[in-house]
Amino acid sequence: DLDNKACEAQVLDRFEFSELWKNVFGSSTAPSLAAGHINAYCCVQFMVRRERILLRPLGFYERNLRYFGTTAASYHRLFPVGRVVLGSDVYGRTPGQLAMYIWHVMFGEPLRLPRRQRDPRLPLFMKVLNVEVEAIDEDEDAAGMDFDQLA
């Protein structure tokens, strides 16, 4: 439901998302999820051309590999000592999960993307609905359609 999504975005904006953005991009500011400055495809499904990967220097990837994968730095920066870490944080708010909102920017895409199934640049196999219910809810044209028509 859209109210839950807005609430989640506001919570992420308070600390975790902006901290992740600043660490990954070396920035002093971050776009706002709650304000709709940035969006992404659900569930971190993407493919990248070699040319896009080469847009950033090797050092960018080395630094981020250390941040995400070879040290506990990202987890400790996002969930500092003294903060209660809930089970939902461990399973759903890990740095890699939060990175779902930024992969496309890392590889040169704009902050805001169209829904995957509406992006004319993508091949057909990438447009298959991922049962993103909010996409169906926000699309007035989908009113009255059954799921067989969307496949």
Side-chain angles (χ1 to χ4, degrees):
D1 132 296
L2 292 177
D3 288 339
N4 287 341
K5 288 283 185 198
C7 182
E8 179 182 347
Q10 289 171 355
V11 169
L12 292 175
D13 269 355
R14 277 192 223 137
F15 185 76
E16 289 105 336
F17 177 74
S18 62
E19 186 69 19
L20 179 84
W21 181 278
K22 291 172 187 177
N23 278 285
V24 168
F25 293 107
S27 174
S28 62
T29 61
S32 168
L33 289 168
H37 297 155
I38 187 168
N39 69 351
Y41 301 145
C42 175
C43 310
V44 195
Q45 299 164 351
F46 62 91
M47 57 186 183
V48 182
R49 292 181 186 266
R50 177 185 173 99
E51 304 86 61
R52 290 297 186 104
I53 295 169
L54 295 174
L55 288 174
R56 296 195 183 271
L58 180 60
F60 174 84
Y61 297 109
E62 290 172 338
R63 183 174 52 80
N64 282 297
L65 178 59
R66 282 190 305 275
Y67 180 70
F68 282 110
T70 61
T71 71
S74 60
Y75 202 88
H76 292 293
R77 291 291 303 257
L78 295 174
F79 309 108
V81 174
R83 177 171 179 242
V84 176
V85 178
L86 305 173
S88 61
D89 290 327
V90 174
Y91 294 111
R93 298 261 195 272
T94 59
Q97 179 71 21
L98 289 171
M100 146 170 83
Y101 299 104
I102 66 171
W103 292 117
H104 63 291
V105 179
M106 290 174 73
F107 298 115
E109 289 291 309
L111 293 177
R112 294 192 47 78
L113 294 174
R115 289 274 183 196
R116 176 180 31 234
Q117 61 270 24
R118 296 185 190 111
D119 191 336
R121 302 167 305 157
L122 296 179
L124 183 59
F125 78 91
M126 299 261 326
K127 291 183 177 190
V128 175
L129 282 178
N130 190 19
V131 191
E132 293 183 67
V133 176
E134 68 272 9
I136 295 169
D137 289 344
E138 72 188 23
D139 189 352
E140 293 175 8
D141 295 333
M145 295 177 85
D146 61 31
F147 282 103
D148 291 334
Q149 292 175 306
L150 296 174

